Amino acid sequence: MEEQRNVRSEKRGEMKKAVKKTAKKRSKEEEEEQIQIFNFNKTPAEEEEDDDLSDSEDSVYSGLEDSGSDSEDKEDKEEDGADDDDDDDDDEEEEEGPSQQTEKTTKAGGVSEGEKKEDEYERDSSDEEDIRNTVGNIPMEWYKDFPHIGYDLDGKKIYKPIRNKDELDEFLDKMENPDYWRTVHDKQTGSDIVLSEDQVELVNRLQRGQFGDVNFNEYQPTVEFFSSDVMIHPVTNRPADKRSFIPSLTEKEKVSRMVHAIKMGWIKPRRVEDDSRGRYYDLWASEDSSILARHRMHLPAPKIPLPGHHESYNPPPEYLFTDEEKAVWEQQDPTDRKLAFVPRKYSSLRQVPAFPRFIHERFERCLDLYLCPRQRKMRVNVDPEDLIPKLPKPKDLQPFPTTQSLVYRGHSGLVRSISVSTSGQWLASGSDDGSVRFWEVCSSRCMKTVQVGGAVKSVAWNPNPSVCLLAVALDSVVLILSPSLGDKQVTVLSERLLSGQQEEAPAEGMGPVVWSEAEEEELNQGIRLKIQHPKAVHQVAWHAKGDYLASVMPDNTSHLQVCIHQLSRRRSQNPFSRNKGLVQCVSFHPIRPYFFVATQRSVRIYNLVKQEMTKKLQANSKWISSMAVHPGGDHVICGSYDCKLSWFDLDLSTKPYKILRHHKKAVRGVAYHRVYPLFASASDDGSVIVCHGTVYNDLLQNPLIVPVKVLRGHEMTHDLGVLDVTFHPSQPWVFSSGADATIRLFT
Amino acid sequence: MGGLQKKKFESGSATNYITRNRARKKLQLSLPDFRRLCILKGIYPHEPRHKKKVNKGSTAPRTFYLLKDIRFLLHEPVVAKFREYKIFVRKLKKAYGKTEWSAVERLRENKPTYKLDHIIKERYPTFIDALRDIDDALCMCFLFSTFARTGKCHVQTIQLCRRLTVEWMNYVIVSRSLRKVFLSIKGIYYQAEVMGQLITWLVPYQFSHDHPVDVDYRVMATFTELYTTLLGFVNFRLYSSLNLVYPPKLDSNAESELKEENEDDYAMNSESYLEKLSALSASLARVVSSAEEEEAQLDQFPVEGEDMEKMEAREKELKQQEAHKKIFEGLKFYLNREVPRESLAFIIRCFGGEVSWDKSVSIGSTYDVTDETITHHIVDRPSIDKQYINRDYIQPQWVFDCVNAKMLLPVEDYFLGVTLPPHLSPFVEEKDGDYMPPEKLKIMALQRGEKPGNEEEEEEEEEEEEEEEEEEQEEEEDDNGDEEEVAEEKNLKKMEEQRSQGKSLQVKVTPGKLKVENKTRLEQEEKAEEKRLAIMMMKKKEKYLYDKIMFGKKRKIREANKLAAKRKAHDDAEKAKKKKARK
């Protein structure tokens, strides 16, 4: 059966080939054993006509061919195919014989017989299907424009049959030629072939899906060889192999290897199913504490916080988010949110949906359990009241100023500086409006106004009680004023002091500083002396005796920053030859010959007698604004622009004994009371803070510092509050001057 | 000058810690295995006090473990099993690759397994330790038991979790140890007191989960592995402490009852047994069949003074607890099909009630809707067609609120279609100064035995007034409105009079009287100033602490005020609405 199918497919593929094949085969056979094979072929063909094709026949064939040629199956098939071809073309072969066949091929090829016969041996390859085709299996369009197709062995062109038919000829041919319908064009040779009757019949049969062989019976009975029945005879006669009798060596080896492995314990018997895995028992039957000590560092994981009212499915209405709260919640980063969810209200239990982040939350808990470092946090459980230091009550530390009692109005610009006369009767103030005013302390009456013609930076009353003089610093001038207030004797004394200087004045002077007398008009106003400085003067400070006067010209570039003037001799000198930083303010020691110079960050103390620096106090602040020396002389307070007030105990250390951060803004002025243990600080936040600072004579006891009162009254103008503060020399009263152009007295 | 120079990072904290990677290398484990080991053994990272010292001068972020912990892990038998498993996987892969199916089969048979018993024992040396840490285990098991069997984790795990949670719930029912329940938006919180330990767990609502993609289920599965083992042992111990059979079996007579009813509906006995257990409706079998519970009587000791008071207080508390355990005793509940059956059945059974449901809802129902002795019918729909006259139709929140209030609340607020009162968290314990919602005050008043009719709190009064007004209003609408207005006007007039009187008085007031007022105020002011000044003198550190504490206090007060204000605004709005509706 298979053979036929094979053949059929071949035929179906190219019907024309079949024809040629037969021809080819034929020729081959002729070549090899011409008569013999012919005869052989003949006999089965004849037999076929009687019987159907049977396997016995096949076996006969195979047997024959086995003996004849090599017994490859494929070739068998080919051979059989060839045989079948023979059958197909039986008619022709029988009638016309091999010679006819060759003739036919020659006709088709259009090449002369003789030529062909010569070539036969050379073209002896089974692959070639068409002897005429010398170009191989190539697209024929390549030869479309040439008159030939390929070359023969001699290298001569094989010409295409001349085709000069045009469309009309074609048509006429179609109309007239009775064989037109059976004419086929062979592309490979370029020739037209007229199919014979048999070939047409074959084509028709194939198109109908029938076997090419007319005589083939496709419904012959099958013989089952390999059935369930045991036959008495073997299907094949092959004797059994020897190896089927002999015990296998390899198997023996395998078995022995396994036996060895079992002996050695390499192969274990199949494990018994261990069912103890899911079985529970009393694990804690014997609780021994020996394991307890194992892990002392182990901290149990904190439990999940319990839910509050927020989480209820039906919370009280106040726990629900308002729109703003919800917006805020949505904008927040998930880690910043106080609640991880939005509280919702459902009117009944059946409406509650699944919580979408349930698995997430559980997973996060898992992560916390195994990824988070655990730490014991010691919670500070202190009563905040306990933290407040126990201080003596302010009541017990009286007297100190408590209320605002007087306001001195009159200035039109900010009042930079104030000073109280030694007697405590007069108050002098210098303002940015270019005037110096003298007030009577008790009545707040302005006794005298002196127009000095420039913003007054600093005023200082001469501490000598026997004279009545005021030093005023403005621009680059220091004026000495004699206000001629109060006792006539005092006025006379001070006048005398000034006039006494006059004689010696021009004799000794310092280069850059010029002393000069006041002019007519100014004399009327009370101005007595003018001390012209090379630079702007910021501060003036008197020595306790009242003869020396220090002036500050802050300038980082020159050595001349501080000048000390002697009033009685009209002499000035520059005490420092070296610039040690921007000088902020200076002060004389009240008793001993020391001189305090505050630079930006530190306070230097110079011994004026020995002409050397004795101490340098580190203020621990950015920028010192003001300084005051305790009347005892052992303590200094410094106010700074970074809101700090530092108290230095000179005997204790060069570091501040205490830093007070009472003010919210820069500290502008500080002052000690001359008699009472009080000091005050004024700040830009508009407040004056009065502190009690007792200094003990016993060196071992540290000063007691207690804030006793916060005084408010000044209004904030241009971000400035209180600019200067000073105490009354004998009463526990404090004066403050502010940016709101007022001076206030607190008693 | 003697001695070698001491090298850095060779002693002290640098040697006490080990980075995660180095620990992993020391244990020769892959990162997932290391992670599993840490989870199973309860090892967590430590934050060294001086990170830079430990990190050998570098400030790169690293995870540190205590070296002792890692050394302790070295001797863990599970580590060897991990390695075995790794090899097993490798062999299996190879066999698959070579398509050697017999080898695959053989390997699979010899798959290495490990047990966690010793780890549980090690981590929780005493039973109380285990109980203390069982919260997470319960939460996780309850979550896993609700998973669908879709391959997020092994089906066996899900089944095991379900089994263990059912066992736990049965134990809680038998021991009557449930204390608090809370319906939150996340799920249902339960709190039980087992052997003196408060155990809280959260059960999600019965919905299928929307599995997130950014969750590592392997980590969760490892935790579950540990937790199932823990919970299993804990359950065993708890059951044996109550003389119950473990694994739990239904009481023989209860079983027979159930069998008779539902023999046909459920095909496989083995399958339906867990279902029957999880129905929570039948009692469990005991090892010793004496079913009577011995009530723990407090022995009387001769005591005196303060101890006596304490004893009395304790006794009182115990009595209360006993009463709390029995609040549903004698009540018969019937669950409509839309209410969450399991949680309600669990709660009602925990407090001694009887409960049943429709036969088609679940196995294990004990009586029918038509039962005349049913006292409460729990419904969660606006209305119900067929109502029996001798039972209360209530919404499920009633059960939860009753449990939390430790008493039977009036059912009127929970009838069908009624707007439910807010459900409050029983876990919040307000200290003085905290905000307390008015509903809580009401419940507390009820607990104290005051009837809501007693005028105690203003808000209640107001509400009552409102109610009364409403009643009146139903009778005669217009008059009432007028009356109200008249009353308001009267009030206003009175106020005005008082004011005017006050003014006239003020004119006459002598300065002496004013001074008296001022004195107290002055004193206060003085004190305040004193305090302010003292605060100024505080040290920086203390000041910081003080400020922090005060800030916290202020924030608390602010929040409480905010809540109160919100509530007031809400109530006002409600009132206004009501008034509008009236008009």
Side-chain angles (χ1 to χ4, degrees), chain B residues 127-138:
Chain B
F127 180 58
I128 294 299
D129 292 332
L131 269 184
R132 230 175 258 155
D133 226 15
I134 207 147
D135 288 21
D136 288 312
L138 281 171

Side-chain angles (χ1 to χ4, degrees), chain B residues 34 48 195 228-229 244 278 283 346 386 389 550 583:
Chain B
F34 179 69
M195 306 211 162
T228 49
T229 319
L244 294 170
S278 59
S283 52
F346 174 56
K386 199 186 172 194
I389 205 147
M550 292 319 272
K583 279 167 191 172

Side-chain angles (χ1 to χ4, degrees), chain A residues 234-483:
Chain A
V235 177
T236 60
N237 212 6
R238 190 155 164 270
D241 284 326
K242 187 185 175 186
R243 61 171 179 261
S244 63
F245 300 111
I246 304 170
S248 161
L249 209 62
T250 50
E251 270 179 14
K252 191 183 158 196
E253 266 174 9
K254 243 181 206 169
V255 169
S256 70
R257 235 180 278 139
M258 284 163 92
V259 167
H260 182 61
I262 290 170
K263 266 188 197 164
M264 300 302 287
W266 297 336
I267 293 180
K268 280 169 208 144
R270 181 170 297 172
R271 209 176 42 172
V272 184
E273 192 57 46
D274 188 12
D275 62 340
S276 65
R277 203 162 160 255
R279 183 169 290 169
Y280 302 113
Y281 52 91
D282 194 356
L283 190 68
W284 294 280
S286 59
E287 291 188 351
D288 51 343
S289 54
S290 60
I291 322 169
L292 275 175
R294 177 187 67 75
H295 224 159
R296 217 175 301 148
M297 291 288 280
H298 184 82
L299 301 177
K303 295 196 170 186
I304 293 181
L306 292 169
H309 300 315
H310 288 280
E311 217 180 300
S312 171
Y313 87 102
N314 181 16
E318 62 266 34
Y319 287 96
L320 294 170
F321 278 173
T322 57
D323 292 342
E324 303 104 65
E325 279 171 326
K326 200 172 181 192
V328 168
W329 187 88
E330 271 161 4
Q331 276 176 1
Q332 270 174 335
D333 192 66
T335 50
D336 294 341
R337 286 170 184 166
K338 219 172 166 198
L339 279 179
F341 52 89
V342 183
R344 297 286 306 273
K345 191 182 181 95
Y346 300 97
S347 60
S348 65
L349 188 58
R350 70 170 184 280
Q351 288 167 336
V352 183
F355 187 63
R357 285 190 55 81
F358 195 94
I359 294 176
H360 274 286
E361 286 194 350
R362 202 97 288 283
F363 178 62
E364 274 156 22
R365 170 71 179 170
C366 287
L367 290 187
D368 283 352
L369 283 178
Y370 88 100
L371 280 182
C372 272
R374 294 180 199 167
Q375 229 167 19
R376 238 183 255 281
K377 278 263 176 185
M378 299 312 262
R379 278 236 134 175
V380 194
N381 199 9
V382 256
D383 186 14
E385 299 302 320
D386 292 348
L387 291 172
I388 299 171
K390 293 278 166 287
L391 295 173
K393 281 191 177 178
K395 232 183 216 173
D396 307 338
L397 302 174
Q398 271 168 347
F400 54 83
T402 49
T403 49
Q404 174 183 312
S405 50
L406 288 175
V407 183
Y408 305 83
R409 293 179 201 278
H411 280 295
S412 56
L414 22 126
V415 186
R416 288 244 180 230
S417 177
I418 48 173
S419 182
V420 191
S421 72
T422 338
S423 59
Q425 200 181 354
W426 311 111
L427 173 70
S429 64
S431 161
D432 269 7
D433 60 0
S435 65
V436 176
R437 280 172 188 261
F438 296 89
W439 316 82
E440 193 179 23
V441 167
C442 301
S443 62
S444 81
R445 214 177 69 181
C446 182
M447 300 299 289
K448 200 173 180 183
T449 309
V450 180
Q451 290 296 336
V452 289
V456 179
K457 288 281 187 295
S458 171
V459 293
W461 213 287
N462 192 324
N464 189 353
S466 59
V467 293
C468 179
L469 290 174
L470 185 77
V472 178
L474 64 135
D475 296 338
S476 60
V477 190
V478 175
L479 302 174
I480 307 294
L481 259 77
S482 173

Side-chain angles (χ1 to χ4, degrees), chain A residues 609-628:
Chain A
V609 176
K610 287 184 183 168
Q611 301 270 318
E612 63 180 17
M613 192 178 84
T614 52
K615 234 170 222 171
K616 187 180 168 193
L617 309 175
Q618 294 294 340
N620 288 350
S621 54
K622 296 262 165 58
W623 198 308
I624 294 173
S625 64
S626 52
M627 172 178 63

